[in-house]
Amino acid sequence: MTIRHIVAWQVAAEDAVLKAEHARGIADRLLALEGVVPEILSISAGPEALYEQNWDVAVVADFADREALERYQIHPAHQEVVAYVRSVVSGRVAVDFEV
């Protein structure tokens, strides 16, 4: 059983340029975790590309099981990303499911 972890955020900035910068910063930091956090089987992330009314940035990551996801959550490199994300977002939604 593989766990797919999907999270989307709304960036707090109202200025379009700053909002785009923060969304790209979140995506880039998350993508940089590949190869650093061994529990990540696959990861993709990026800012919203089509519709302004959608959430601003999202990540999709796969983990071998729930325990692997939990180790990812507390990994120091992930915690650094979490600190940045929390400093620039106003909302978060997530779902984890088996694939």
Side-chain angles (χ1 to χ4, degrees):
M1 157 188 75
T2 301
I3 299 295
R4 180 152 295 154
H5 177 64
I6 302 175
V7 183
W9 297 271
Q10 291 177 321
V11 174
E14 293 185 20
D15 174 76
V17 173
L18 189 56
K19 180 178 269 198
E21 179 183 313
H22 289 169
R24 173 60 26 208
I26 291 169
D28 289 348
R29 283 167 173 80
L30 287 164
L31 292 171
L33 296 175
E34 189 168 28
V36 174
V37 180
E39 287 78 12
I40 297 171
L41 298 178
S42 68
I43 189 168
S44 58
E48 167 58 37
L50 301 177
Y51 302 107
E52 187 176 308
Q53 72 272 18
N54 286 350
W55 290 64
D56 299 311
V57 60
V59 64
V60 177
D62 290 338
F63 300 88
D65 52 31
R66 180 183 188 142
E67 292 77 17
L69 174 58
E70 290 171 354
R71 288 190 302 275
Y72 160 78
Q73 296 285 8
I74 63 171
H75 190 284
H78 178 255
Q79 286 299 305
E80 287 180 25
V81 175
V82 167
Y84 173 75
V85 170
R86 287 182 177 159
S87 76
V88 299
V89 302
S90 62
R92 177 186 180 274
V93 64
V95 63
D96 300 298
F97 60 91
E98 296 177 4
V99 292

